[in-house]
Amino acid sequence: MRKSIHKISQQIFVVVFFTLMAFVANAQNKVTGHVTDSKSGAGVQGITVSVKGSNVAAQTNASGDYSIMVPGNGTLVFTSVSYVTMEVPVGNRSVIDVSLEQAAEKLSEVVIIGYGSVKKSDATGAVTSITSKDFNKGNFSTPEQLISGKIPGVQITSNSGIPGGGSTIRIRGGASINAGNDPLIVIDGVPISNDGVKGLPNLLASINPNDIESFNVLKDASATAIYGSRGSNGVILIVTKKGKKGKPVINFSTQLSTGKVSKKEDVLTADEFRKFVNAHGTPAQIALLGNANTDWQDEIFQNSFGSDNNISISGSVKNLPYRISLGYLNQNGVVRTDNFQRGTVAINLSPSFWDNHLKVNLNLKGTIAKSRYANSGTAIGNAIIFDPTQPVLSGNKNFGGYFQYTDPTTPTGLTSLAPSNPVAALEQYKKIGEPKRSIGNIQLDYKFHFLPELHANVNLGYDIAEGTETTTISDSAISNYQGFSNPSSPTVFHKGYYHTDKQNQKNTLFEFYLNYSKNLESIKSKIEAVAGYAYQNFLTTNYNTYATAIDGTVDSSSKPTYFVVKPERALISYYGRLNYSYDGKYFLTGTIRTDGSSKFSKANRWGVFPSGAFAWRISQENFLKDSRVLSDLKLRVGYGITGQQDGIGYYDYILNYTLSGQATQYNFGTGFYQMYKPLPYNPNLKWEQTATTNFGIDFGFLENRITGSMDYYFKKTKDLLNTVSVASGTNFGNQITANIGDMQNEGFEFNLNAAVVKNNNFSWDLGFNFTYNQNKITKLSNNDVGSLGVPAANSNIGFTAVQQQTVGHPLNSFYVFQQVYDQSGKPIEGLYEDRNRDGVITEADKYWYQSPAPQEFFGFFSNFTYQKWNAGFTLRANVGNYMLNQIARGSSSLRSVLGNASFLTNATSNINDTKFTNSPDFSDLFVENASFLKMDNLYVGYNFGKVFNGVNLRANLNVQNVFVITKYTGTDPEISNGIDNGFYPRPRTISLGLNLDF
């Protein structure tokens, strides 16, 4: 991978070299200067400085400095979206310093929406834009963490501390049960699939956060309906950095980081464990105790180290703006053997032709990554329960020299019940992922010569990925010590394990749309219209292979049904939008999209998704227009319908056959043959649909030094794509996907931003947001009276789900017994509340108790600048989220420690309080309040200014996962599914970064 990146970088720097030579050859009169903010006096980065009437341009650096070659006695033009344009004649001057005034109001900023953009002041939907200057600071391997805690209604929960592990993103709560709840993500105009890629820890792990310019989040249906069938869970538009006219600007950044586990599970130490076993164990169990003092969590955790290096060059060659960047990330995890490496390249070219009548935007992004996945699930769980009196190494060669529990009473001398050595589980396991991914598109925007208000747009895009995962388990590992035996030689065992998975994905996009914009000044009106067509195809190729032993012997039982499987689906769309505004006060938006998906039959293939919105900018009325206090006030109301098709199979609506497994072969004559069997299907499948109503208020005070918004929303999803049980023998299976059930989300959002202090030496900005969301299932079948609903997926304890989907309750609500306590407040083992008062404790006495999703969550952030210093922090809080502490529940009894005659297992320290004989499976005792306050980021930076040859140097120090305040007794109160069963810890990370501008 490094050779590939090195080769690419050589090619790029050749281009850069000749670009520099071209500028040197054309150099004329040199003008330098400094651009400052008229209010704060601080230097302003990113101001475009151009020579009027020519293609010569430059940009200010981080300190606000610029340098430009001016032909003759021209005029310099200073432009930026956030500042008032200024023109300055050069004359005979070689130094020109200017002070720019900020735009009249912050609401003049442009936000990106589907298939276009709109001034923030004119937006009718619930849209939030976050640009790079407001991103979270820190060491991030995936881009969504840049905006965590910044946007009301958007909850971003990192999946774990695994490098590149990504996050669970929810916008205004989940809209479905079994279909997808992830938002649609569009990168530079290319909607990407939510399907994972082999070898890639997370879909967004292939995107370099340093290449991103802005996130635009569309939350309500009036904003997302333009994306129709995939807008039910919101839309995130990611825009990457582009080239700008001017001389080449080179930026290099490097960041070094180190992390460590901030909290471990509170288990018994070796001495405490000996004391416990001596007090409660039998003589045979006491004899199992060892002489070591091993902290197994210390043995598997490590201090992680990482580096993130990025270089970019942007500028223009005549009328060809460009930006080229390279990045290399190497990040270790806090679990031994865990590592993630990623090399990225991004190219943007944005030329214009024919006097700006044709604009071209070419985006190419490539990623080559390599991951070594630690066997973290096994290692972390076993490190909590493995006997702390045993050593890591046994002193002999058995099982690779690692201590393992065996059982001499079994025929093989092994036991499948004992936990394996956690260190051995890491060192004897090697899983390597090697993905490659490229996302790109070319966008053509043609302004008709005979009708300049009309634009024709073509967008051709692709998202191609290939990934392999190779898993190797040592032949001395206890998990595969016997491996497998072939039927021909059942007494001969082939040890170890080797298997390779391979997958290719190819997603292609074609879009064509017309955009018409016309100012009708005579009637104080403006009309904008979009009409278009889109076709997107998704093709996945899965290569299935045999598993083998280390000696290469094939495990015949692992023979796949098919060696190559190519599921394919397509989506065809027609869409339109009309915006009308009158007198800068009244705004109307109407949108409609119709989608046809190959996932549904012809009878149900097409879905229609309309929306409408109205906004009234009250502050522009005569009675408020001259207010010195109120700068802006706008009311918004919108309603729309969006669709859902994710989370279901490609061919669930048609009858399919698959080859039966080898265990179900049929005997014909002298041979055995695999037969084809029918799969469950439902020809009546149709779109899941979500209707959303939104009421909003945008406001600003004191020349928009204080801005904010409030939104109330109500989302109703019907025809849920749900997995339901059917009678045995019916439809060739016991479960099918069907449109059954309704669900709703109701919520309130509040957002406030304030420039508290802004002067020449010091500035202080504050941001706060609050979200309340109440989720409830309203229907699951035609007769929900007295129904328990359906078990929640992936929530089993043993063979029974601890979470239930039930009408009248939130998604994934815990379904448990109510624990009874004695007078001193200690739980009484096996005694639960008889809630139905029938005199016996049965399943009927369980009740629905809380859910993993918070009802309220908050974000609070602040940034400070003082002369050349800057600092800031980000805080987040969740309130009302509950967690099943499965670690504490599973080790809370004597049986969990002493339940087997051939080995011992450790326990969490709560065993000294409960002293249960058996672990209670479904007690609300272990469903804990996991509300929390977290400081996610704390940073401080210093701008050294020009240090040598005009190079600007900035340095920063960042701390992530600074502290957590919570009553939850486990290691981390933030786990998206609400079940703590050995969580990969999020490390506390300290990083030092340097940034150089040339």
Side-chain angles (χ1 to χ4, degrees), residues 468-485:
T468 59
E469 287 182 347
T470 302
T471 303
T472 307
I473 300 176
S474 168
D475 57 2
S476 61
I478 195 169
S479 60
N480 290 74
Y481 194 67
Q482 288 183 313
F484 62 89
S485 61

PDB file of all heavy atoms in Angstrom, residues 468-485:
ATOM      1  N   THR A 468     -10.985  -7.658   0.672  1.00  0.00           N
ATOM      2  CA  THR A 468     -10.733  -9.036   1.086  1.00  0.00           C
ATOM      3  C   THR A 468     -10.509  -9.078   2.590  1.00  0.00           C
ATOM      4  O   THR A 468     -10.004  -8.113   3.185  1.00  0.00           O
ATOM      5  CB  THR A 468      -9.497  -9.631   0.383  1.00  0.00           C
ATOM      6  OG1 THR A 468      -8.346  -8.826   0.705  1.00  0.00           O
ATOM      7  CG2 THR A 468      -9.680  -9.663  -1.118  1.00  0.00           C
ATOM      8  N   GLU A 469     -10.901 -10.167   3.185  1.00  0.00           N
ATOM      9  CA  GLU A 469     -10.628 -10.431   4.595  1.00  0.00           C
ATOM     10  C   GLU A 469     -10.045 -11.833   4.700  1.00  0.00           C
ATOM     11  O   GLU A 469     -10.653 -12.800   4.234  1.00  0.00           O
ATOM     12  CB  GLU A 469     -11.895 -10.331   5.439  1.00  0.00           C
ATOM     13  CG  GLU A 469     -12.383  -8.924   5.656  1.00  0.00           C
ATOM     14  CD  GLU A 469     -13.616  -8.856   6.535  1.00  0.00           C
ATOM     15  OE1 GLU A 469     -14.240  -9.918   6.786  1.00  0.00           O
ATOM     16  OE2 GLU A 469     -13.958  -7.744   6.969  1.00  0.00           O
ATOM     17  N   THR A 470      -8.872 -11.923   5.278  1.00  0.00           N
ATOM     18  CA  THR A 470      -8.198 -13.208   5.446  1.00  0.00           C
ATOM     19  C   THR A 470      -8.039 -13.493   6.928  1.00  0.00           C
ATOM     20  O   THR A 470      -7.436 -12.687   7.657  1.00  0.00           O
ATOM     21  CB  THR A 470      -6.819 -13.205   4.758  1.00  0.00           C
ATOM     22  OG1 THR A 470      -6.992 -12.902   3.373  1.00  0.00           O
ATOM     23  CG2 THR A 470      -6.144 -14.550   4.904  1.00  0.00           C
ATOM     24  N   THR A 471      -8.579 -14.621   7.363  1.00  0.00           N
ATOM     25  CA  THR A 471      -8.533 -14.993   8.779  1.00  0.00           C
ATOM     26  C   THR A 471      -7.659 -16.227   8.947  1.00  0.00           C
ATOM     27  O   THR A 471      -7.865 -17.242   8.265  1.00  0.00           O
ATOM     28  CB  THR A 471      -9.939 -15.292   9.316  1.00  0.00           C
ATOM     29  OG1 THR A 471     -10.779 -14.155   9.107  1.00  0.00           O
ATOM     30  CG2 THR A 471      -9.896 -15.604  10.810  1.00  0.00           C
ATOM     31  N   THR A 472      -6.682 -16.127   9.849  1.00  0.00           N
ATOM     32  CA  THR A 472      -5.776 -17.233  10.147  1.00  0.00           C
ATOM     33  C   THR A 472      -5.768 -17.464  11.652  1.00  0.00           C
ATOM     34  O   THR A 472      -5.550 -16.522  12.425  1.00  0.00           O
ATOM     35  CB  THR A 472      -4.346 -16.937   9.670  1.00  0.00           C
ATOM     36  OG1 THR A 472      -4.373 -16.576   8.293  1.00  0.00           O
ATOM     37  CG2 THR A 472      -3.449 -18.147   9.867  1.00  0.00           C
ATOM     38  N   ILE A 473      -6.011 -18.703  12.060  1.00  0.00           N
ATOM     39  CA  ILE A 473      -5.948 -19.069  13.473  1.00  0.00           C
ATOM     40  C   ILE A 473      -4.895 -20.153  13.616  1.00  0.00           C
ATOM     41  O   ILE A 473      -4.903 -21.153  12.883  1.00  0.00           O
ATOM     42  CB  ILE A 473      -7.309 -19.563  14.000  1.00  0.00           C
ATOM     43  CG1 ILE A 473      -8.361 -18.466  13.835  1.00  0.00           C
ATOM     44  CG2 ILE A 473      -7.209 -19.977  15.467  1.00  0.00           C
ATOM     45  CD1 ILE A 473      -9.757 -18.889  14.240  1.00  0.00           C
ATOM     46  N   SER A 474      -3.979 -19.962  14.540  1.00  0.00           N
ATOM     47  CA  SER A 474      -2.851 -20.870  14.721  1.00  0.00           C
ATOM     48  C   SER A 474      -3.323 -22.296  15.007  1.00  0.00           C
ATOM     49  O   SER A 474      -4.363 -22.511  15.641  1.00  0.00           O
ATOM     50  CB  SER A 474      -1.979 -20.376  15.878  1.00  0.00           C
ATOM     51  OG  SER A 474      -1.043 -21.355  16.267  1.00  0.00           O
ATOM     52  N   ASP A 475      -2.536 -23.271  14.547  1.00  0.00           N
ATOM     53  CA  ASP A 475      -2.897 -24.663  14.827  1.00  0.00           C
ATOM     54  C   ASP A 475      -2.662 -25.041  16.281  1.00  0.00           C
ATOM     55  O   ASP A 475      -3.047 -26.134  16.718  1.00  0.00           O
ATOM     56  CB  ASP A 475      -2.125 -25.610  13.903  1.00  0.00           C
ATOM     57  CG  ASP A 475      -0.619 -25.436  14.005  1.00  0.00           C
ATOM     58  OD1 ASP A 475      -0.166 -24.605  14.820  1.00  0.00           O
ATOM     59  OD2 ASP A 475       0.108 -26.128  13.271  1.00  0.00           O
ATOM     60  N   SER A 476      -2.031 -24.148  17.053  1.00  0.00           N
ATOM     61  CA  SER A 476      -1.866 -24.411  18.484  1.00  0.00           C
ATOM     62  C   SER A 476      -2.917 -23.698  19.325  1.00  0.00           C
ATOM     63  O   SER A 476      -2.935 -23.848  20.542  1.00  0.00           O
ATOM     64  CB  SER A 476      -0.465 -23.978  18.940  1.00  0.00           C
ATOM     65  OG  SER A 476      -0.278 -22.588  18.736  1.00  0.00           O
ATOM     66  N   ALA A 477      -3.799 -22.915  18.680  1.00  0.00           N
ATOM     67  CA  ALA A 477      -4.853 -22.213  19.419  1.00  0.00           C
ATOM     68  C   ALA A 477      -5.876 -23.214  19.925  1.00  0.00           C
ATOM     69  O   ALA A 477      -6.294 -24.121  19.201  1.00  0.00           O
ATOM     70  CB  ALA A 477      -5.525 -21.185  18.521  1.00  0.00           C
ATOM     71  N   ILE A 478      -6.297 -23.045  21.165  1.00  0.00           N
ATOM     72  CA  ILE A 478      -7.224 -24.011  21.748  1.00  0.00           C
ATOM     73  C   ILE A 478      -8.566 -24.017  21.022  1.00  0.00           C
ATOM     74  O   ILE A 478      -9.246 -25.043  20.954  1.00  0.00           O
ATOM     75  CB  ILE A 478      -7.417 -23.732  23.253  1.00  0.00           C
ATOM     76  CG1 ILE A 478      -8.088 -24.939  23.933  1.00  0.00           C
ATOM     77  CG2 ILE A 478      -8.197 -22.437  23.481  1.00  0.00           C
ATOM     78  CD1 ILE A 478      -8.084 -24.865  25.449  1.00  0.00           C
ATOM     79  N   SER A 479      -8.951 -22.864  20.422  1.00  0.00           N
ATOM     80  CA  SER A 479     -10.232 -22.795  19.720  1.00  0.00           C
ATOM     81  C   SER A 479     -10.252 -23.698  18.494  1.00  0.00           C
ATOM     82  O   SER A 479     -11.312 -24.158  18.074  1.00  0.00           O
ATOM     83  CB  SER A 479     -10.528 -21.352  19.299  1.00  0.00           C
ATOM     84  OG  SER A 479      -9.509 -20.876  18.434  1.00  0.00           O
ATOM     85  N   ASN A 480      -9.091 -23.940  17.885  1.00  0.00           N
ATOM     86  CA  ASN A 480      -9.017 -24.779  16.690  1.00  0.00           C
ATOM     87  C   ASN A 480      -7.952 -25.862  16.847  1.00  0.00           C
ATOM     88  O   ASN A 480      -7.327 -26.274  15.880  1.00  0.00           O
ATOM     89  CB  ASN A 480      -8.715 -23.923  15.457  1.00  0.00           C
ATOM     90  CG  ASN A 480      -9.872 -23.046  15.068  1.00  0.00           C
ATOM     91  OD1 ASN A 480     -10.139 -22.049  15.737  1.00  0.00           O
ATOM     92  ND2 ASN A 480     -10.585 -23.421  14.014  1.00  0.00           N
ATOM     93  N   TYR A 481      -7.783 -26.303  18.096  1.00  0.00           N
ATOM     94  CA  TYR A 481      -6.745 -27.307  18.360  1.00  0.00           C
ATOM     95  C   TYR A 481      -7.081 -28.630  17.693  1.00  0.00           C
ATOM     96  O   TYR A 481      -6.210 -29.345  17.229  1.00  0.00           O
ATOM     97  CB  TYR A 481      -6.578 -27.489  19.864  1.00  0.00           C
ATOM     98  CG  TYR A 481      -5.329 -28.240  20.246  1.00  0.00           C
ATOM     99  CD1 TYR A 481      -4.072 -27.674  20.024  1.00  0.00           C
ATOM    100  CD2 TYR A 481      -5.399 -29.507  20.805  1.00  0.00           C
ATOM    101  CE1 TYR A 481      -2.911 -28.350  20.372  1.00  0.00           C
ATOM    102  CE2 TYR A 481      -4.245 -30.200  21.156  1.00  0.00           C
ATOM    103  CZ  TYR A 481      -3.003 -29.620  20.929  1.00  0.00           C
ATOM    104  OH  TYR A 481      -1.859 -30.291  21.267  1.00  0.00           O
ATOM    105  N   GLN A 482      -8.370 -28.943  17.635  1.00  0.00           N
ATOM    106  CA  GLN A 482      -8.792 -30.124  16.900  1.00  0.00           C
ATOM    107  C   GLN A 482      -9.256 -29.770  15.495  1.00  0.00           C
ATOM    108  O   GLN A 482      -9.200 -30.583  14.594  1.00  0.00           O
ATOM    109  CB  GLN A 482      -9.924 -30.831  17.653  1.00  0.00           C
ATOM    110  CG  GLN A 482      -9.432 -31.531  18.915  1.00  0.00           C
ATOM    111  CD  GLN A 482     -10.550 -32.289  19.594  1.00  0.00           C
ATOM    112  OE1 GLN A 482     -11.621 -31.747  19.763  1.00  0.00           O
ATOM    113  NE2 GLN A 482     -10.279 -33.524  19.968  1.00  0.00           N
ATOM    114  N   GLY A 483      -9.727 -28.548  15.313  1.00  0.00           N
ATOM    115  CA  GLY A 483     -10.145 -28.116  13.989  1.00  0.00           C
ATOM    116  C   GLY A 483     -11.295 -28.948  13.473  1.00  0.00           C
ATOM    117  O   GLY A 483     -12.398 -28.879  13.985  1.00  0.00           O
ATOM    118  N   PHE A 484     -11.024 -29.795  12.491  1.00  0.00           N
ATOM    119  CA  PHE A 484     -12.083 -30.626  11.927  1.00  0.00           C
ATOM    120  C   PHE A 484     -11.475 -31.941  11.452  1.00  0.00           C
ATOM    121  O   PHE A 484     -10.264 -32.084  11.271  1.00  0.00           O
ATOM    122  CB  PHE A 484     -12.776 -29.915  10.764  1.00  0.00           C
ATOM    123  CG  PHE A 484     -11.866 -29.617   9.600  1.00  0.00           C
ATOM    124  CD1 PHE A 484     -11.689 -30.539   8.576  1.00  0.00           C
ATOM    125  CD2 PHE A 484     -11.163 -28.424   9.545  1.00  0.00           C
ATOM    126  CE1 PHE A 484     -10.840 -30.277   7.522  1.00  0.00           C
ATOM    127  CE2 PHE A 484     -10.309 -28.154   8.482  1.00  0.00           C
ATOM    128  CZ  PHE A 484     -10.153 -29.079   7.460  1.00  0.00           C
ATOM    129  N   SER A 485     -12.335 -32.924  11.252  1.00  0.00           N
ATOM    130  CA  SER A 485     -11.924 -34.202  10.672  1.00  0.00           C
ATOM    131  C   SER A 485     -12.820 -34.509   9.488  1.00  0.00           C
ATOM    132  O   SER A 485     -14.018 -34.220   9.518  1.00  0.00           O
ATOM    133  CB  SER A 485     -12.013 -35.326  11.702  1.00  0.00           C
ATOM    134  OG  SER A 485     -13.353 -35.472  12.153  1.00  0.00           O
TER     135      SER A 485
END
